[in-house]
Amino acid sequence: MAISVVKTTGSNTNQTTSWDITLPTGSGGYIVAFIGRGRNTIILPPSGSAWTVLKRYPADPAGSGEVSSAVFVWDASSSDPSGSNLTFTSSATGQTYWHGFRVTGISSNPTLLDCLSLVQTSTTEAGQVPPSISEMPGGSRSAAVFIFNSTDNGGAVIDGTNDSNFTSNLSIVGTGGTSAAYTASSYYISTISSLTIGSWSYSSYNSSEGANYTLVLYEDESPGIQYIKDASIGDGSTSSTNITGIQSGDFILYHGFSDGSTNNSVPTIAGTTATAISAWAGANGTNRGIYYGFSTGTSCTVANLSTSGTGIGHY
């Protein structure tokens, strides 16, 4: 199932210490809330709610400055937040702006959003841009990549309109003024192992303080131990088989024995001699054992198979 994203934006321009966010349309998946405020006190989720705080600026306790922001996630596989679970708070009054995203299509063993990095901006760091993603855990994954930025007084808005990955999904909310936050967000959906984020800059930079975030929600495509080929793939003539629909680095397991006359060599996995977990020589030249190796791509050839009683799986 392909990953999809529905987004919404909202604001509360009153000087308040609490506000309700609005949710994206649809149902299920994960709801991501990015909130920016024109005050430096930390943003708190509803007490006792199931919102997970991914990262926020400033951290607890509050730092100096005139802006705060935070990223939260809610697992909506059972239900959406409602009622009091939509009310966020802070200890100081201020104007608030938010972006909400519903991410669906994570069909197997989803991994929660992780804030990979955070960049704090200041009057001397006008050239900083969102951090690139150098490595996805476990290799390439179907992923939704998010960029968030929040500053105070309507200045130093991050601009990614020249980054082709994010251009069509860029949105900005906020107005300038005392105690006002200005927030921008964008997202990109792709199968990635790394991503260089380029052509981002600050627009209307006015020596404001703020923070940039790079977030990823990716699908863990390894559904535990799973048999790709069942027993008895060896039939007296089959000496190899090709496993498809896997990922680079998947664990491949072979177990079985040969008949003593054909294909009784130690198996190879992805062209490399497999490692024996347990192996022994049987009568009449048979070769028995349990072996493992790792794939090097989205398909993997396992060769020198036995002629009966084999099985191949991956983790």
Side-chain angles (χ1 to χ4, degrees):
M1 183 183 297
I3 296 176
S4 64
V5 175
V6 177
K7 64 181 178 181
T8 186
T9 61
S11 64
N12 186 330
T13 58
N14 297 321
Q15 297 289 328
T16 63
T17 57
S18 66
W19 61 96
D20 292 351
I21 67 168
T22 51
L23 297 179
T25 59
S27 62
Y30 288 85
I31 296 173
V32 181
F34 172 63
I35 302 173
R37 304 197 79 226
R39 280 286 186 254
N40 68 324
T41 51
I42 63 172
I43 298 169
L44 299 174
S47 177
S49 72
W51 287 102
T52 298
V53 182
L54 298 180
K55 185 161 283 189
R56 55 190 165 197
Y57 169 78
D60 189 5
S64 61
E66 290 296 329
V67 67
S68 60
S69 55
V71 184
F72 303 89
V73 65
W74 177 287
D75 183 350
S77 57
S78 298
S79 63
D80 282 1
S82 61
S84 62
N85 284 330
L86 296 174
T87 304
F88 289 74
T89 60
S90 186
S91 61
T93 60
Q95 296 179 350
T96 308
Y97 301 89
W98 63 84
H99 301 266
F101 297 86
R102 185 186 299 273
V103 185
T104 57
I106 308 296
S107 57
S108 63
N109 293 343
T111 299
L112 286 177
L113 273 166
D114 183 18
C115 274
L116 296 182
S117 48
L118 165 70
V119 175
Q120 298 177 7
T121 67
S122 71
T123 57
T124 59
E125 296 173 326
Q128 292 188 350
V129 297
S132 294
I133 300 162
S134 60
E135 182 179 357
M136 289 288 288
S140 182
R141 290 287 190 272
S142 298
V145 182
F146 294 84
I147 300 296
F148 296 123
N149 163 258
S150 180
T151 61
D152 69 318
N153 297 324
V157 180
I158 198 94
D159 183 0
T161 54
N162 292 320
D163 190 327
S164 59
N165 291 328
F166 294 85
T167 298
S168 61
N169 298 312
L170 181 68
S171 60
I172 300 173
V173 298
T175 58
T178 303
S179 301
Y182 207 133
T183 63
S185 70
S186 192
Y187 69 90
Y188 166 63
I189 300 174
S190 185
T191 300
I192 62 171
S193 57
S194 62
L195 177 66
T196 299
I197 300 171
S199 302
W200 287 74
S201 61
Y202 288 107
S203 63
S204 62
Y205 184 77
N206 68 350
S207 300
S208 293
E209 177 191 8
N212 302 330
Y213 305 78
T214 301
L215 283 68
V216 176
L217 176 57
Y218 65 91
E219 182 170 10
D220 185 347
E221 297 173 348
S222 295
I225 295 177
Q226 176 185 21
Y227 282 106
I228 305 301
K229 300 288 185 181
D230 208 344
S232 299
I233 59 170
D235 60 3
S237 61
T238 300
S239 61
S240 66
T241 191
N242 190 48
I243 305 171
T244 59
I246 58 177
Q247 302 179 112
S248 179
D250 272 351
F251 177 81
I252 309 295
L253 179 70
Y254 164 91
H255 53 94
F257 60 92
S258 68
D259 65 0
S261 59
T262 59
N263 305 325
N264 60 340
S265 301
V266 173
T268 61
I269 298 176
T272 302
T273 301
T275 301
I277 298 175
S278 177
W280 62 96
N284 301 320
T286 59
N287 182 30
R288 310 180 183 205
I290 302 173
Y291 301 87
Y292 73 89
F294 297 90
S295 63
T296 56
T298 56
S299 64
C300 181
T301 298
V302 181
N304 294 337
L305 301 179
S306 64
T307 57
S308 62
T310 65
I312 294 176
H314 85 111
Y315 178 79

